Amino acid sequence: MAQQKSFSSNLGAIMAAVGSAVGLGNIWRFPYICGKYGGGAFLLVYLCFVFLLGSVLMMSEFVIGRRSQHTPIKAFQTLYPKHKAWGLVGALGIVTSFFILSQYLVISGWTTGYVWHSVSGVLSSLGTDSAAISSFFTEFSTSPWTPVLFLGVFSLIVLIVILGGVQKGIENVSKVLMPLLVLLVLVLCVRSLTLPGAGKGVEYLFSPDFSKLTGEGVLAALGQALFSLSVGMGVMIVYGSYIPAGDNIFKTAMWITGCDTLIAILSGLAIFPAVFSCGFEPTGGPGLVFLVLPNVFNSMGAASVVFASLFFLLLMVAAITSAISLLEALTAWICDHTQIRRWVGAVLFFVLTTALGVMFSMSIGSLSHIKITGLTLFDFVDRLNSIYLPPLCALGTIIFFGWVMPEEDIKDELSNHGTLRLGYYKLLRFMARYVAPLALLVVLISGIIS
Ligand code: TRP
């Protein structure tokens, strides 16, 4: 059965996809690796990767989704019925989405908890005592019930949006949350940039230092470009199937890529000037968000509660719209393969991913003795989600797009049946056939080696 669902407008499609793309990766990963690997020099490389490769992958997923009007597995099989085995690439995407969502819920649960603790003033009562802040985080994240409770609250919010449907749920919520996110990040930028000594943070982010741009840095830029655009797990195939028929896929993908990049840069400007101004060392990941930033906010005096609350709200908004796209992909997929009602599918995956998320969460505390290949469950799935699954799925997708899917279909879909000019097509084709597969192979191999 072909899917009938779609976003109501181009703006809606862009907002929803930007919502998916803008996530923890933009806020806690991009700024840090940008500074670490040479600031402006890294940014230059990143911009090339994101616009020349990331956007190509996104376009390929959009074309596959909209052309087939199906979710990952059936999409590949519909577009190339001769070899149903291509559906395996889609299956890999579904599995990846499942694990990413389960893991994403853990961090999102912490974020939800920190929204609560900053609004209620608990966080600011810790003052600027690093040891107290760090033991608060350890206690919070390893306690048996609190993180689970907040994880549950967060996934319930996501479920409610999905139950609202594609237009009334996802699209409308994204149209409210994305402008809110931009507003929040701008307010935080102004605060951060007007602190004494903020210039050092700007320098860390942007002043180009080509000597720091190592091979490792170039790889990090490539990995980040793919992760940040949410490509390589079939989610954009599902969203692609919702893009209205008259929309220009090329322009849509460029808008999404541009917004995602802009928000990553703004996040950097909201975070690092403040970090430097308060005399902290730059870092990334959970350490930055849950250990360093509370301290930074608490050094801001009276307004600490306000800025901490705004920041964790920003992070939660970014996480919600990403989690929505993941749960939607899983829900749409099961509805595409079975006769079950949409709400049943959504609840099913809500229960499964929440249960798995709880297990991952507990693997940091009470279940930390359970190890797979020497890693806790959380660290194991983190490796799977960052190093193996997405590049592999992206590689399969781009080979399908560049070498397998009939070229007439691609051109017909990109040009809206011949009504749009395809001035970019030759470059796109070259990237999709040669550069992107090679780049993904390098990412995959270097990930496995490291
Ligand atoms: N792009 C998200 C971020 O920057 C992370 C992510 C990767 C993601 N793949 C995804 C989000 C798929 C939603 C769906 O944080």
Side-chain angles (χ1 to χ4, degrees), residues 20-26 100 104 227-230 233 235 322 325-326:
S20 173
V22 173
L24 302 171
N26 298 60
I100 291 232
Y104 222 74
F227 182 81
S228 190
L229 291 180
S230 304
M233 49 205 64
V235 168
S322 294
S325 71
L326 290 160

Side-chain angles (χ1 to χ4, degrees), residues 31 106 115 157 189 237 248 258 265 268 295 323 349 374 384 388 405 442:
V106 177
V115 171
I157 297 176
C189 273
I237 295 183
N248 185 336
I265 293 173
N295 211 334
F349 276 112
L384 218 56
Y388 301 104
M405 186 177 165
V442 173

Side-chain angles (χ1 to χ4, degrees), residues 54-256:
S55 69
V56 167
L57 271 149
M58 183 178 284
M59 276 186 257
S60 73
E61 294 198 16
F62 282 168
V63 166
I64 291 170
R66 195 172 72 172
R67 186 78 183 172
S68 66
Q69 288 295 299
H70 277 294
T71 51
I73 298 181
K74 278 197 184 175
F76 287 96
Q77 296 177 335
T78 310
L79 297 176
Y80 196 67
K82 257 190 264 171
H83 286 290
K84 296 270 191 227
W86 278 102
L88 285 175
V89 176
L92 199 61
I94 297 297
V95 171
T96 312
S97 298
F98 183 76
F99 283 120
I100 291 232
L101 179 56
S102 311
Q103 187 205 9
Y104 222 74
L105 288 177
V106 177
I107 314 285
S108 307
W110 294 349
T111 307
T112 313
Y114 268 61
V115 171
W116 173 259
H117 288 313
S118 42
V119 172
S120 66
V122 172
L123 214 56
S124 69
S125 73
L126 300 172
T128 51
D129 176 358
S130 296
I133 290 175
S134 143
S135 67
F136 177 81
F137 175 65
T138 311
E139 238 168 73
F140 170 80
S141 59
T142 56
S143 97
W145 292 115
T146 355
V148 171
L149 178 81
F150 285 111
L151 187 156
V153 170
F154 180 90
S155 32
L156 207 58
I157 297 176
V158 174
L159 174 69
I160 291 169
V161 177
I162 296 299
L163 292 179
V166 173
Q167 286 185 10
K168 292 216 178 85
I170 301 173
E171 184 175 340
N172 286 350
V173 166
S174 306
K175 277 184 184 162
V176 175
L177 289 187
M178 284 302 106
L180 173 69
L181 182 137
V182 171
L183 187 74
L184 287 172
V185 81
L186 285 177
V187 170
L188 290 166
C189 273
V190 170
R191 168 70 281 199
S192 178
L193 287 168
T194 50
L195 288 167
K200 266 206 200 145
V202 180
E203 213 173 279
Y204 174 78
L205 273 174
F206 296 123
S207 88
D209 181 349
F210 282 90
S211 68
K212 283 198 207 152
L213 187 68
T214 52
E216 191 187 302
V218 173
L219 267 174
L222 185 51
Q224 174 67 14
L226 303 176
F227 182 81
S228 190
L229 291 180
S230 304
V231 291
M233 49 205 64
V235 168
M236 289 299 176
I237 295 183
V238 175
Y239 273 16
S241 76
Y242 300 157
I243 295 180
D247 285 0
N248 185 336
I249 285 185
F250 172 75
K251 274 195 187 159
T252 306
M254 285 302 158
W255 268 106
I256 298 163

